[in-house]
Amino acid sequence: MMPELARALKAEDPALDIEIIASRNRYRGGDDQYPPEQDWEGVRVLRLGTPRSNQDSTALRLLAGLYFSLVARRRLLSLPRYDLLLVGTNPPSAPLAALALRRKRHTPYVYLIHDLYPDVAVSLGALRATSKAARVCAWAQRRWLHGAARVVAIGRCMRDYLADRYGLDAEQIEVITNWSRLEGPSCLPAKTQFRARHGLSEFVVLYAGNFGRYQDFGTILDAAAMVRATHPDITFVFVGDGAKRPEIAARMESGAAGNSLLLPFVPDEEFADLLAAADVSLVTLEAGAEAIGVPSKFYNILASGRPTVAVVGEGSEVARLIAEESCGLRVAQGDAAGLVQAVVQLAANPETAAQMGERARSAFEHRFTLRRIAEQYLSLFSEVLAEGTRP
């Protein structure tokens, strides 16, 4: 998403000089690396030779991220002076470099929160809130947040959490959502290549994306099992990979996941076709994870012109947007019967589902295109520089 944003910023303001500092490693794919330096349509990319971050061990992932952050810090201090730095949460220790640059050169930074640490680990039960590791990480996170000229939250639920948990002033937090890159025509035809390839002719409920640790697949799998007895024409399709893939695969192998299909990621060029294959698309979060992450897949679903059934808490950004735009239905985590009811309701009322899909596409076009989001970032950057912010 960050390369997409950088290109969009450059497209909006060609006079803008943008440099990206990233790893040479590929996030997914083979062991071959990117070159040390690249040019993306006028955006300069400087790549660092650091260990891979997608290690099996959480400790190794954190160490790889820390090493990258320290190397990035050294590289930043060796480069010419920047007017502004944008830093994200991947790796979680990346703001180390931003804080160092602010202290050494008084360069303001904007801190974009996608996944908030250690809060994510605490929410998942992987780390005790009272443990020394959690307290040290929370102390560091507070320093990074308060050191930023602005903190970008990708949802209102996250904004409220940051203000309450870390004591940030409201004027320091800017809410800028994620976006979708599917800016072509709405994916309205349902007779897609994906459906033909996998023999899908009936009602398809699709989950496409990362099978992450803070996503509630238990409710979805329970609902799939319940649907099989009464509505065998409804198929749940899971496309992706991640930490919870073994859990999903085990349920399917045991026959306890109803009429379901598990498939790997599709190539980028087939992604729009995949989303168009759905009659309904799913979004899910574990209870308690709503304020520390917002599923970016939701904006792709909006762009696809399909209704969303979201297994999320009532106060989450996804739930708020569904209510505001009337583009889907929300179900509470753990309510498998409610999920069955929502899916069956949409399957029995195709006209209602189509209207929700139309409203979803309209919301995307008016609020969540990459160009509109890039305009918001440029406006924010201009405000920070005009203020001469020096935290």
Side-chain angles (χ1 to χ4, degrees):
M1 297 189 74
M2 298 295 270
E4 289 179 5
L5 178 59
R7 286 172 166 148
L9 293 171
K10 185 70 175 178
E12 286 299 302
D13 185 356
L16 196 64
D17 289 327
I18 302 177
E19 292 186 352
I20 298 175
I21 295 181
S23 168
R24 291 190 62 188
N25 300 309
R26 296 182 183 273
Y27 185 68
R28 294 189 180 95
D31 293 329
D32 57 316
Q33 295 187 319
Y34 291 107
E37 190 168 331
Q38 293 174 289
D39 184 277
W40 290 346
E41 303 166 14
V43 176
R44 186 184 180 206
V45 185
L46 306 175
R47 295 192 174 274
L48 308 177
T50 57
R52 299 185 66 88
S53 61
N54 55 346
Q55 305 284 338
D56 292 334
S57 162
T58 300
L60 288 177
R61 286 198 299 272
L62 291 173
L63 286 173
L66 178 60
Y67 185 80
F68 170 84
S69 304
L70 293 173
V71 175
R73 174 185 181 276
R74 183 176 63 190
R75 186 64 179 271
L76 279 167
L77 294 173
S78 71
L79 291 168
R81 185 182 298 273
Y82 295 106
D83 296 299
L84 182 72
L85 189 67
L86 174 65
V87 63
T89 51
N90 185 15
S93 54
L96 275 174
L99 192 59
L101 198 66
R102 195 212 78 183
R103 287 178 171 174
K104 292 282 187 180
R105 294 185 174 177
H106 306 290
T107 303
Y109 66 92
V110 172
Y111 188 10
L112 169 57
I113 311 293
H114 275 124
D115 301 292
L116 189 64
Y117 298 92
D119 308 64
V120 168
V122 171
S123 173
L124 294 174
L127 195 64
R128 286 185 298 107
T130 56
S131 68
K132 185 175 181 180
R135 286 185 283 113
V136 169
C137 290
W139 171 82
Q141 186 66 265
R142 184 178 293 272
R143 294 180 67 210
W144 298 336
L145 288 165
H146 283 270
R150 289 288 198 287
V151 174
V152 175
I154 57 174
R156 288 162 286 184
C157 50
M158 183 182 286
R159 174 200 61 196
D160 298 342
Y161 181 87
L162 289 169
D164 181 61
R165 173 73 174 82
Y166 289 97
L168 290 176
D169 293 334
E171 59 269 19
Q172 193 184 352
I173 308 172
E174 190 83 11
V175 176
I176 304 180
T177 68
N178 286 329
W179 60 88
S180 174
R181 54 186 167 83
L182 301 178
E183 299 191 10
S186 179
C187 308
L188 293 178
K191 295 181 180 180
T192 66
Q193 295 179 16
F194 181 86
R195 275 181 173 259
R197 189 181 307 124
H198 298 288
L200 298 168
S201 58
E202 303 294 344
F203 194 86
V204 171
V205 181
L206 175 68
Y207 179 91
N210 185 40
F211 303 153
R213 288 180 174 85
Y214 54 88
Q215 288 154 333
D216 175 18
F217 290 104
T219 302
I220 297 173
L221 293 167
D222 289 344
M226 294 167 67
V227 160
R228 176 174 54 181
T230 56
H231 294 80
D233 56 334
I234 295 177
T235 302
F236 282 72
V237 179
F238 299 83
V239 179
D241 202 354
K244 287 193 174 180
R245 182 183 175 90
E247 172 190 330
I248 299 170
R251 288 284 298 268
M252 289 188 181
E253 289 171 5
S254 69
N259 189 20
S260 301
L261 188 62
L262 176 60
L263 299 166
F265 282 113
V266 301
D268 282 351
E269 59 270 20
E270 298 176 17
F271 187 54
D273 179 81
L274 166 65
L275 293 180
D279 292 289
V280 169
S281 284
L282 297 173
V283 169
T284 179
L285 283 172
E286 287 281 10
E290 291 90 353
I292 51 182
V294 178
S296 59
K297 67 176 62 63
F298 175 58
Y299 304 98
N300 290 325
I301 296 169
L302 294 177
S304 74
R306 295 293 183 269
T308 299
V309 174
V311 184
V312 297
E314 188 174 8
S316 70
E317 182 68 16
V318 171
R320 294 186 192 192
L321 286 170
I322 285 175
E324 290 168 1
E325 302 292 345
S326 300
C327 60
L329 300 171
R330 184 195 75 85
V331 177
Q333 294 100 330
D335 186 6
L339 178 54
V340 170
Q341 182 180 357
V343 169
V344 170
Q345 175 185 334
L346 292 173
N349 296 278
E351 185 175 334
T352 298
Q355 290 171 351
M356 287 181 174
E358 290 171 4
R359 290 192 289 268
R361 178 67 188 191
S362 177
F364 158 71
E365 291 175 345
H366 288 92
R367 300 177 62 180
F368 305 114
T369 64
L370 179 51
R371 180 174 183 178
R372 290 188 180 277
I373 301 304
E375 289 171 349
Q376 292 178 47
Y377 272 99
L378 284 174
S379 176
L380 173 61
F381 296 161
S382 296
E383 287 178 16
V384 170
L385 294 175
E387 293 168 0
T389 305
R390 295 290 182 267

